[in-house]
Amino acid sequence: MQRAAAASRATAWSTERHGAARVTASASFSVAGTALPLRVRGGGGQLLSLPLLSGGRAVTARVAAAEAPLPADDAAAGRERGAGGGALAETAQLGAMIVAWYLLNIYFNIYNKQVLQPLPFPYTITAFQLAFGSLVIVLMWALKLHPAPRISISQLAKIAPLAAGHMLGTVFTNMSLGKVAVSFTHTIKASEPFFTVLLSAFFLGETPSLLVMGSLVPIVGGVALASLTELSFNWIGFWSAMASNLLYQSRNVLSKKLLGGEEGLNLQELCVRAALAGFCFHGYQKLSYLILARVSPVTHSVANCVKRVVVIVASVLFFRTPISPVNALGTGVALGGVFLYSRLKRTKPKNA
């Protein structure tokens, strides 16, 4: 009985130590002065000591055991740790891109306003910004920093109207920035979802849900409230921002379907700020598309809504724009409606 118990404990210890692997080896130990053989099955490898107790005496057996292979669970855990580290790095990279997107947009609006105040020529400024962005792109292609796209004639024919809409949208945005405060321009541009719903229904035949329609009410109401109390209100600035919304959202819908001051500035300061505005314009547009490629359109819309809040707050602080409580309420209601609209877009209509 003692022999059987000792052999049973040795086999159990070996199985627990090496998992499902079996070892083959032979060893001998003595119990009460009698040598007993012990056989365990597996591969060759390292010598192990088995402390056994029998009859109150410690018995040690040296067993040749196999070095067990790495279990599958450990390998899977290693892969999971690697995947977790990669996901963390990707999230950090996305966060850095969003922060850079916000910062470039803030500086673009500040430099743009500083240029448009003494030089109220939005067409000229827009042409300069687009030309500067084109120069940056050509340099990136020449230096192999970004692969040059291969575009066919048919693709170019589809892109041309989208590019024209983007250019005109930028022109009207600059017109609005030249006439009214930066914060008011972006409050009006917060009504973009209204045009998105309207144009999607007209061109794509998409019927919005009642919840999505309801989310447009605070957007329109907030913009109207902010307009009534805006100190820098100007009809040209208002309708220019609205036209910019229409053109930008037309570009987005068609893409889905097909694919001032009295201070004055000298010439050097004007050129530097215009160049900086062009650089920031190109940079934040590029980052916007890179972020859109990594996240869902709904997430991008939410991030864009937060970006408007950041730009409005930054411009108010930088230019010290006077804002009444009612004006701030209207802006907040409009932005809250945009956020609600973005969240409700997750819900598809029942007939979809």
Side-chain angles (χ1 to χ4, degrees), residues 192-202 206 208 212-213 216 341:
E192 284 181 351
F194 175 81
F195 292 93
T196 301
V197 171
L198 186 66
L199 294 171
S200 296
F202 184 78
E206 295 181 354
V212 170
M213 291 291 291
L216 298 178
Y341 167 83

Side-chain angles (χ1 to χ4, degrees), residues 166 251 284-294 300:
H166 183 85
R251 175 204 62 185
Y284 90 75
Q285 292 285 354
K286 179 71 174 179
L287 284 171
S288 177
Y289 283 107
L290 289 175
I291 293 170
L292 183 60
R294 291 170 173 261
H300 187 272

Side-chain angles (χ1 to χ4, degrees), residues 208-219 337 340-341 344:
S209 65
L210 291 177
L211 291 176
V212 170
M213 291 291 291
S215 69
L216 298 178
V217 175
I219 296 176
L340 182 62
Y341 167 83
L344 290 176

Side-chain angles (χ1 to χ4, degrees), residues 157-276:
K158 293 179 180 180
I159 293 175
L162 306 180
H166 183 85
M167 179 191 67
L168 291 175
T170 304
V171 168
F172 283 113
T173 298
N174 287 337
M175 287 179 64
S176 180
L177 289 173
K179 294 294 183 180
V180 297
V182 175
S183 57
F184 184 56
T185 297
H186 281 275
T187 300
I188 300 172
K189 287 176 68 65
S191 61
E192 284 181 351
F194 175 81
F195 292 93
T196 301
V197 171
L198 186 66
L199 294 171
S200 296
F202 184 78
F203 288 106
L204 304 178
E206 295 181 354
T207 303
S209 65
L210 291 177
L211 291 176
V212 170
M213 291 291 291
S215 69
L216 298 178
V217 175
I219 296 176
V220 176
V223 171
L225 186 61
S227 300
L228 290 174
T229 57
E230 174 58 40
L231 298 178
S232 66
F233 182 85
N234 179 285
W235 281 111
I236 297 178
F238 176 84
W239 287 115
S240 297
M242 283 294 184
S244 174
N245 284 342
L246 179 63
L247 288 165
Y248 275 141
Q249 296 313 304
S250 298
R251 175 204 62 185
N252 292 343
V253 171
L254 290 176
S255 296
K256 183 176 180 181
K257 188 176 181 179
L258 300 174
L259 316 162
E262 301 177 356
E263 170 190 1
L265 295 173
N266 59 40
L267 182 60
Q268 183 179 358
E269 290 177 338
L270 183 64
C271 291
V272 170
R273 290 181 179 178
L276 289 173

Side-chain angles (χ1 to χ4, degrees), residues 11-73:
T11 304
W13 185 91
S14 176
T15 304
E16 182 179 347
R17 173 67 178 84
H18 297 283
R22 296 186 306 171
V23 291
T24 47
S26 62
S28 64
F29 57 92
S30 61
V31 179
T34 306
L36 298 175
L38 174 65
R39 291 183 178 275
V40 245
R41 179 166 291 276
Q46 57 189 11
L47 292 176
L48 303 175
S49 295
L50 293 177
L52 303 175
L53 294 176
S54 177
R57 297 182 181 180
V59 181
T60 302
R62 299 181 62 81
V63 180
E67 183 178 350
L70 182 65
D73 291 343

